[in-house]
Amino acid sequence: QVQLIDSGGGLVQAGGSLRLSCAASGRAFATYAVGWFRQAPGKEREFVAAISWTGYSTNYADSVKGRSTISRDNAKNTVSLQMNSLKPEDTAVYYCAASASGGYSNSYYYPQWYTSWGQGTQVTVSS
């Protein structure tokens, strides 16, 4: 399994932008799909975005679609999540996760499909 370190969170005003990064160890990272999830206080962890191991498929939650872009650089073992037009309701701890299992198109949405998780990075959006 790969080990993940997510970073890039911070405090930003509504309407601002942040770029979250997920750095992975391991030469096999290019064979892993990667997802981003978030968890706000008192709420369950929810899907934000995902990218297949090839990078050809990307998926977004409706709540961030049009405001966020997920991308990967397999040469650098990194996945990024660019988030624009941030809203106070985007405030949460954001986690990246990776999976080498098959069935991306049917599974990317579910946290249990992922086998490796980062430690989380806090995003706070002030109004």
Side-chain angles (χ1 to χ4, degrees), residues 62-74:
D62 288 344
S63 58
V64 304
K65 194 175 295 183
R67 301 188 293 122
S68 299
T69 302
I70 188 171
S71 60
R72 69 187 300 156
D73 185 340
N74 286 339

Side-chain angles (χ1 to χ4, degrees), residues 13-28:
Q13 288 188 333
S17 299
L18 282 175
R19 187 175 184 86
L20 307 184
S21 293
C22 179
S25 64
R27 292 179 296 173

Side-chain angles (χ1 to χ4, degrees), residues 57-116:
S57 295
T58 57
N59 298 86
Y60 300 90
D62 288 344
S63 58
V64 304
K65 194 175 295 183
R67 301 188 293 122
S68 299
T69 302
I70 188 171
S71 60
R72 69 187 300 156
D73 185 340
N74 286 339
K76 296 182 178 179
N77 276 13
T78 59
V79 169
S80 297
L81 180 66
Q82 176 69 40
M83 302 184 68
N84 302 321
S85 301
L86 284 163
K87 305 174 182 180
E89 50 264 45
D90 293 319
T91 295
V93 178
Y94 284 70
Y95 300 88
C96 67
S99 174
S101 301
Y104 169 86
S105 60
N106 295 321
S107 306
Y108 66 83
Y109 187 85
Y110 301 99
Q112 57 267 36
W113 183 65
Y114 296 86
T115 55
S116 300

